[in-house]
Each structure stands twice: as structure tokens, then as C-alpha cells.
Amino acid sequence: MNNFLVYQTDFGTADGAVSAMYGVALQVEPTLRIFDLTHDIPRYNIWEASYRLVQTVQYWPAGTVFVSVVDPGVGTNRLSVAVKTKQGHIIVTPDNGTLTHVNLLYGVEEARVLNESENRLSGSELSYTFHGRDVYAYTGARLAAHKVNFSEIGPEINSKQLVSLDLIPAYEDENKNIHGTIDVLDVRFGSLWSNIPYTLFKNLNIDYGKKLAVSIRNDRRQVYANTMVYARSFADVSMGEPLVYINSLLNVAIAINQGSFAQAYNIGCGQSWKLELAKIQTL
């Protein structure tokens, strides 16, 4: 069994919040190995917290404990939960939708509601605004250090009771065009990551190096419409040229070689951002 503890928050690192979470965990067990997934989730952005978890969790050993704190409802009656995935990872988080993608793509084997009066740092009972430190970091550390069993942290609930964000599935229309949403941006490089899986995209039957038609809309407003190459990687096209590729999650993505597609065309992400892919018909 490992003693890995991985943190994700929207706290940033400009103040002492993340460091305090480290300190709480190391008080529980000084030999814990603590890592950061990210602390740069946009403030209050539960959707991105959910996506970054599903981007990362599967690559860690079974038994790793994740603590994810993007919690605009802190101090309210929203529940605190811990789940065990079907791959054997544990995630401790507010029940506010953060587990949406993990539950959908990996599956939750067991879910439990944290008893916050018992699973919290001693002396923090009057604090209602920093559950990341007082409840989640403390409970995650105890789980990672094997000082409490998963079954002991609170009553079990059905995973179907977990709060879930609305998802719009990708689909193929009657004209054989593929539709999806832009779920998230590759923050540093400005690529667009869609929810269109390769298993659906391959229905277009397009070979590497061939062009396809790409349309992007924000609600009903068309933001982009052009053709671009389907490529294995960025260097398969010239610098500054756009491309369609399959990203590390095996979903369709859009990029500019050595440029930011999102910045170039002022494109965001979320359910209102729609992507359509079509095969170019030749005579």
C-alpha cells in the first residue's frame, strides 16, 4: 500500500492556504508523500476541477488519495464525501459536481458521506470557511496514512446520489457529421479539448494528412469555420497552421502549431461552446 496524497484546489499559491493543508497532513503522518495536481483551477470552477481529476487520476497507483477542493458552497449544507473508484483510487471532496467525469468515465465503486464533526482537525470546530484544511486535508491524510479505514469515515450512499454536472454527449447526425462540446482548454498552450471520443471521430473515416471541415459555435453564433488537417502531432503541420488531433485522453482536440487557438479566435469552453466536424465531400 502506498501513502500518496495528491492535492487539487482553486486556492493558488500566493498565500499560505496550500501550505497549511500540507502542514495538517504532515501532522497526521510525517512520512506521507504529498503531491500537487494543480492549485490553478479558475476560482469556483467546479467543471474544470472535475475535468482535471479525470485527466489525472487513472495514471496514479491504486490506493492513491486525492483531495480536491473547489468549494463555492463551503459552510452551507452541501455534503462532504469520499469515493473509491473502480480502479481503487480515493477522492475526498465537496459533493458539488467535482466527481462528475470520474463517475462517468471510471465509475465509483463506493461512496460515503463524511461526518464533518468527527473527520476534522481538532480545534477547528468554529471555522466554517476553510474545510480544505480542516476537513478534506485532514481526512485525506488519515486515509493515505491508513489511520482510518474508508468504511469508518461515514455512512455509505449510492453513487447515483452524488451531485452531477450536466453533460451533453457527443453524437453523429443524419449527415454523418460529428458534434460535441469544447469541455476544457489546454491552459498553457491554448488547444481546445472536446468531448468527442476517437471511437466516434473515426466514423468520419479520415486519414492522417487529410483535411476536414471544422465549425465552432458559441450558442447560436458561429465563431470559426474553416478546413484543417487531421494530424498525429503538432509538427505535422507548418508553424501557425491549425490542426485536428487526438489528445492524451483519446478525444478530439484543436490546436495551432506553436500558437494558441483559443487566444487567436477568442474561444472559451463549456456547454455553450459547440464543435462540428465534417468530412469534405469530393466530386
Side-chain angles (χ1 to χ4, degrees), residues 4 6 16 29-30 41 44 47 58 60 63 93 146 154 159 166 174 203 220-221 223 245 251 255 261 263 272 276 278:
F4 298 163
V6 182
E29 176 50 62
I41 298 293
Y44 321 123
W47 175 273
Q58 65 176 317
W60 284 80
T93 186
H146 311 290
S159 62
D166 291 334
E174 65 276 7
N203 291 349
R220 297 182 179 181
R221 180 175 63 91
V223 177
Y245 69 103
N251 286 346
F261 197 99
Q263 184 176 357
S272 67
E276 180 180 358

Side-chain angles (χ1 to χ4, degrees), residues 33-163:
R33 299 182 65 185
I34 308 175
F35 305 87
D36 297 313
L37 192 162
T38 181
H39 298 292
D40 290 325
I41 298 293
R43 290 177 297 175
Y44 321 123
N45 194 323
I46 298 167
W47 175 273
E48 185 150 339
S50 175
Y51 202 94
R52 297 307 176 195
L53 277 176
V54 84
Q55 180 185 1
T56 307
V57 166
Q58 65 176 317
Y59 298 105
W60 284 80
T64 300
V65 176
F66 291 80
V67 169
S68 179
V69 190
V70 177
D71 193 13
V74 63
T76 68
N77 60 358
R78 64 95 184 91
L79 297 178
S80 297
V81 296
V83 304
K84 185 180 292 183
T85 71
K86 292 183 177 179
Q87 291 76 28
H89 306 98
I90 293 174
I91 305 171
V92 183
T93 186
D95 182 27
N96 57 11
T98 298
L99 295 164
T100 299
H101 289 90
V102 166
N103 199 9
L104 175 69
L105 298 180
Y106 303 152
V108 169
E109 181 177 271
E110 186 178 350
R112 292 187 175 272
V113 177
L114 291 183
N115 185 328
E116 292 182 8
S117 63
E118 296 179 3
N119 295 288
R120 71 179 301 140
L121 181 67
S122 177
S124 69
E125 292 79 12
L126 296 179
S127 173
Y128 297 96
T129 59
F130 198 178
H131 285 177
R133 175 196 65 194
D134 302 333
V135 176
Y136 304 126
Y138 177 74
T139 302
R142 294 181 75 216
L143 287 165
H146 311 290
K147 296 195 174 184
V148 63
N149 293 325
F150 185 81
S151 60
E152 297 173 340
I153 60 175
E156 185 172 5
I157 59 170
N158 191 306
S159 62
K160 294 180 180 179
Q161 295 177 254
L162 296 169
V163 174

